[in-house]
Amino acid sequence: QFQLVASGGGLVQPGGSLRLSCAASGVNLGAYTIGWFRQAPGKEREDISCINGDGRRTSYLDSMKGRFTISRDNVLNTVYLQVNRHKPDDTAIYYCAFSRFILGGCSAYGDWGQGTQVTVSS
């Protein structure tokens, strides 16, 4: 079992952009489908997007399409999530996790790992 670490969060103004990164040591992430998800206080976890090992297949939750873009660089052993035009409702802890494709989106499995806080505020 491996620990994934999300980073790149912080304070951003509405309408701004952030790029989050997901990395791990001791495992080749290129061999796995990786997903991004988030959880805001008092809310259930939301799936955002996932990407397969070679980056040729991606999936997005319908509500996440348009502003979120998932990508990966297997040379750097890193998976990214670009978030544009931030809204206050984007405030949450963002996690990356080993994932699989399901009907309508993605499903994470295993430990959540270390998330990164994104706060959208003026």
Side-chain angles (χ1 to χ4, degrees), residues 7-27:
S7 63
L11 179 64
V12 62
Q13 293 185 340
S17 299
L18 285 174
R19 189 180 71 166
L20 309 181
S21 298
C22 175
S25 60
V27 59

Side-chain angles (χ1 to χ4, degrees), residues 48-112:
I48 301 173
S49 178
C50 49
I51 185 169
N52 78 330
D54 63 13
R56 295 185 178 183
R57 181 184 178 186
T58 61
S59 181
Y60 296 86
L61 273 294
D62 287 341
S63 61
M64 304 297 176
K65 293 179 180 178
R67 298 190 299 114
F68 296 83
T69 303
I70 192 169
S71 62
R72 70 191 308 158
D73 187 332
N74 287 340
V75 175
L76 298 179
N77 204 33
T78 304
V79 179
Y80 303 99
L81 181 70
Q82 179 74 34
V83 189
N84 296 325
R85 303 187 305 279
H86 267 289
K87 302 177 180 179
D89 287 347
D90 291 334
T91 296
I93 301 177
Y94 286 70
Y95 300 88
C96 56
F98 297 102
S99 303
R100 51 179 166 260
F101 296 98
I102 62 172
L103 291 175
C106 315
S107 179
Y109 63 90
D111 294 338
W112 289 16

